[in-house]
Amino acid sequence: QVRLVESGGGSVQPGESLRLSCAATRTTYTAFCMAWFRQAPGKEREDVAHMYAAGSAPYYAGSVKGRFTISRDNANNAVNLRMANLKPEDTAVYYCAADERYCGGSSSLGRSAFRYWGQGTQVTVSS
């Protein structure tokens, strides 16, 4: 069993930055695909970014490419999402997800591809 705990959400103004962190509780963490999804009210949960291992090619959704950066901290069993130049349309609940699978950086993954989920953290971008 893997437990994921997110932190770092909050309310910011457009153009500001936030950093989300997700701590995983299993020592075989490095063999996992780690992802950040988000879900806005009335919308489907979407794959924002995912990454298999530190140094591997990450995937980014087109709407966040160039603004968001996913990174893995193997020493602390964590995956982070640095979000810069935030826009009102980035407002959503952000979820950390993990699964014991390889994941490449070429295409998005559906929520069914991930077995483990965090509780979610709210990000609100508003002036």
Side-chain angles (χ1 to χ4, degrees):
Q1 188 70 15
V2 175
R3 182 166 175 258
L4 304 174
V5 179
E6 301 112 335
S7 61
S11 295
V12 297
Q13 295 187 343
E16 294 185 339
S17 299
L18 275 177
R19 181 176 177 268
L20 305 182
S21 292
C22 172
T25 61
R26 184 163 168 177
T27 58
T28 56
Y29 160 81
T30 55
F32 279 55
C33 176
M34 303 292 295
W36 286 97
F37 280 69
R38 69 184 180 188
Q39 189 164 19
K43 294 189 175 181
E44 295 291 319
R45 191 172 297 189
E46 65 169 338
D47 181 359
V48 174
H50 64 250
M51 190 174 190
Y52 179 63
S56 65
Y59 163 83
Y60 294 103
S63 58
V64 308
K65 194 173 293 185
R67 300 187 298 120
F68 290 14
T69 303
I70 188 171
S71 61
R72 294 191 56 160
D73 179 359
N74 292 341
N76 294 300
N77 289 345
V79 61
N80 304 309
L81 186 69
R82 174 70 175 175
M83 305 183 294
N85 190 22
L86 282 159
K87 303 176 181 181
E89 52 264 41
D90 295 318
T91 296
V93 177
Y94 284 71
Y95 297 90
C96 177
D99 198 82
E100 294 164 305
R101 58 173 293 156
Y102 171 78
C103 56
S106 60
S107 59
S108 65
L109 294 170
R111 59 187 297 177
S112 62
F114 292 88
R115 179 178 179 185
Y116 305 107
W117 291 86
Q119 80 284 358
T121 184
Q122 177 70 45
V123 171
T124 302
V125 185
S126 174
S127 56

